[in-house]
């Protein structure tokens, strides 16, 4: 079977963007058609200033929400990154293959480093090198496909480049992975700033729908979404991003096409109302299952423990092989 790996970073509460852009595909497609691994990548949350207790809390919440959304440990492997040492082991080896120039060209590094400097903070070295850790996450499992949003494509390309370079220098070791993307709503935008992604680490709460938002909160956020002054409801991602974002969200919730939906609506009010109700209904079963799982924390802990054990069994032979290939003595 095709092996799929993807992860989610516990740097904030999971959002509608996370669900429509990634998690739903994991549930509906990847875990059913592939040998799939899904990981809470908590080591990546340490690249910026953080509260340790909050990282632990968000890691547990993310894992619980993944299960609530429908990931089934009988069909896939769900685990926490830091519970599998092979990620960190392989990361250093891949740092010895990557170049400084590659790291400094990464778009997310440039953006995040600029924000840190604007706040007067220092930029951690791990913020520069974490794309190599991400590559190690992928390569350790012989991954064939990595389902990602548009903003993560560059990181998968780096993993591909490093795999090819390692194989050429030290002998064939790694599978060269490829990125895959959902057809609709690959990148859900902020409702208040529709040219920016709906990110879980964003400070703009009114523009972000969180998976655990109460229905009335969801409705309020969607009804206050930024549109524009034009009268007609037209799908134009570049020229009218606010309207396009609502149409894409509505299409993703109901399986439609945003361009076709644009011809159905004569007013923004009706579009917003229908979009809000579609989101509420989409999130309802996830929230109900989340409550059930929170009442049974031992189950979630057991899933993560078993998932980490299974992941270690898969990753260790690959990482040991990479160590031998690059010239390290076996233990």
């Amino acid at each position: 079977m095709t092996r799929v790996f993807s992860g989610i970073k516990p740097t904030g509460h999971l959002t509608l963007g996370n669900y429509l852009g990634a998690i739903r595909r994991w549930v509906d497609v990847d875990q059913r058609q592939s040998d799939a691994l899904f990981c809470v990548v908590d080591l990546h949350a340490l690249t910026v200033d953080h509260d340790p207790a909050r990282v632990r809390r968000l890691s547990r919440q993310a894992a619980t929400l993944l299960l609530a959304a429908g990931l089934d440990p009988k069909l896939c492997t769900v685990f926490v990154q830091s519970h599998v040492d092979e990620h960190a082991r392989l990361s250093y080896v891949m740092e010895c293959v990557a170049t400084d120039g590659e790291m400094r060209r990464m778009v997310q590094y440039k953006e995040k480093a600029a924000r840190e400097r604007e706040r007067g903070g220092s930029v951690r070295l791990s913020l520069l090198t974490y794309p190599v850790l991400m590559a190690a996450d992928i390569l350790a499992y012989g991954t064939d496909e990595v389902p990602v949003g548009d903003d993560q494509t560059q990181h998968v390309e780096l993993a591909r480049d490093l795999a090819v370079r390692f194989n050429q220098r030290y002998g064939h070791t790694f599978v060269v992975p490829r990125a895959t993307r959902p057809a609709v709503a690959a990148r859900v935008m902020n409702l208040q700033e529709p040219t920016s992604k709906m990110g879980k680490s964003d400070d703009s709460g009114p523009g972000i729908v969180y998976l655990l938002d109460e229905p009335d909160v969801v409705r309020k956020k969607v009804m206050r979404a930024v549109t524009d002054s034009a009268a007609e409801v037209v799908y134009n991602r570049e020229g009218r991003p606010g309207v396009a974002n609502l149409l894409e969200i509505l299409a993703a919730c109901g399986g439609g096409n945003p361009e076709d939906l644009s011809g159905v609506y004569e007013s923004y009010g009706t579009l917003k109302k229908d979009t809000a109700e579609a989101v509420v209904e989409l999130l309802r079963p996830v929230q109900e299952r989340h409550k059930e799982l929170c009442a049974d924390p031992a189950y979630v802990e057991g899933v993560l423990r078993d998932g980490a054990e299974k992941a270690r069994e898969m990753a260790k032979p690959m990482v040991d092989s990479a160590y031998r290939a690059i010239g390290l003595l076996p233990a």
Side-chain angles (χ1 to χ4, degrees):
M1 295 180 68
T2 299
R3 178 160 289 174
V4 167
F5 176 93
S6 199
I8 201 152
K9 187 163 56 174
T11 50
H13 300 288
L14 299 189
T15 72
L16 178 67
N18 297 130
Y19 184 78
L20 292 178
I23 297 171
R24 189 169 64 171
R25 177 189 168 92
W26 300 353
V27 172
D28 294 344
V29 178
D30 296 318
Q31 72 170 343
R32 302 180 187 281
Q33 299 180 3
S34 313
D35 179 11
L37 300 98
F38 301 108
C39 180
V40 178
V41 287
D42 54 344
L43 294 177
H44 291 292
L46 310 184
T47 59
V48 295
D49 191 31
H50 63 277
D51 174 9
R54 185 170 186 265
V55 171
R56 286 190 289 269
R57 184 171 64 252
L58 290 175
S59 296
R60 178 181 293 276
Q61 184 186 86
T64 304
L65 277 169
L66 291 180
L67 297 174
L71 289 185
D72 184 347
K74 296 178 182 178
L75 300 176
C76 65
T77 304
V78 182
F79 65 105
V80 176
Q81 179 190 31
S82 63
H83 294 176
V84 180
D85 292 345
E86 278 64 32
H87 291 256
R89 286 183 63 208
L90 184 57
S91 181
Y92 178 74
V93 167
M94 301 316 293
E95 283 186 14
C96 297
V97 179
T99 68
D100 176 76
E102 285 175 314
M103 297 300 97
R104 296 189 186 279
R105 285 194 296 271
M106 301 301 286
V107 173
Q108 289 205 11
Y109 168 73
K110 293 178 181 178
E111 293 175 349
K112 292 181 179 180
R115 287 198 295 268
E116 282 294 316
R117 294 188 182 101
E118 286 174 3
R119 288 196 289 259
S122 58
V123 179
R124 300 185 182 192
L125 179 61
S126 57
L127 185 62
L128 178 66
T129 60
Y130 90 90
V132 177
L133 174 57
M134 187 179 295
D137 298 337
I138 297 166
L139 299 177
Y141 297 99
T143 302
D144 299 297
E145 295 182 356
V146 187
V148 293
D150 294 341
D151 61 324
Q152 293 294 332
T153 302
Q154 189 183 32
H155 289 136
V156 180
E157 289 302 316
L158 175 68
R160 289 173 57 84
D161 291 343
L162 295 182
V164 169
R165 190 178 306 154
F166 190 100
N167 291 346
Q168 290 175 342
R169 290 180 180 176
Y170 306 113
H172 185 78
T173 304
F174 295 115
V175 174
V176 180
R178 59 185 178 274
T180 59
R181 303 173 192 80
V184 178
R187 197 176 192 192
V188 179
M189 312 306 280
N190 189 299
L191 295 174
Q192 292 297 316
E193 300 175 21
T195 57
S196 300
K197 186 181 72 168
M198 186 184 284
K200 59 183 178 296
S201 304
D202 200 329
D203 295 329
S204 180
I208 304 171
V209 175
Y210 297 104
L211 295 190
L212 295 178
D213 276 347
E214 293 291 334
D216 285 346
V217 173
V218 173
R219 294 185 182 100
K220 183 179 295 185
K221 289 180 177 180
V222 175
M223 293 304 295
R224 293 179 178 177
V226 169
T227 51
D228 54 52
S229 59
E232 294 181 324
V233 177
V234 176
Y235 180 72
N236 182 339
R237 189 72 181 272
E238 298 299 323
R240 302 175 65 183
V243 179
N245 190 36
L246 290 172
L247 289 167
E248 289 191 350
I249 292 171
L250 180 59
C253 288
N257 181 287
E259 292 189 20
D260 294 340
L261 287 171
S262 66
V264 174
Y265 293 95
E266 296 182 355
S267 71
Y268 295 150
T270 306
L271 171 61
K272 289 181 177 181
K273 182 178 179 181
D274 284 0
T275 302
E277 292 307 318
V279 172
V280 167
E281 291 307 312
L282 183 77
L283 298 184
R284 191 185 306 280
V286 177
Q287 294 178 353
E288 290 175 352
R289 179 59 177 154
H290 179 263
K291 289 180 182 178
E292 294 173 0
L293 291 173
C294 286
D296 188 9
Y299 171 76
V300 177
E301 292 171 3
V303 168
L304 296 179
R305 183 173 57 250
D306 293 345
E309 182 177 351
K310 185 178 177 182
R312 278 193 295 271
E313 291 175 356
M314 285 189 274
K316 190 175 187 304
M318 179 68 75
V319 177
D320 287 348
S321 178
Y323 268 49
R324 289 193 299 271
I326 205 170
L328 300 177
L329 285 172

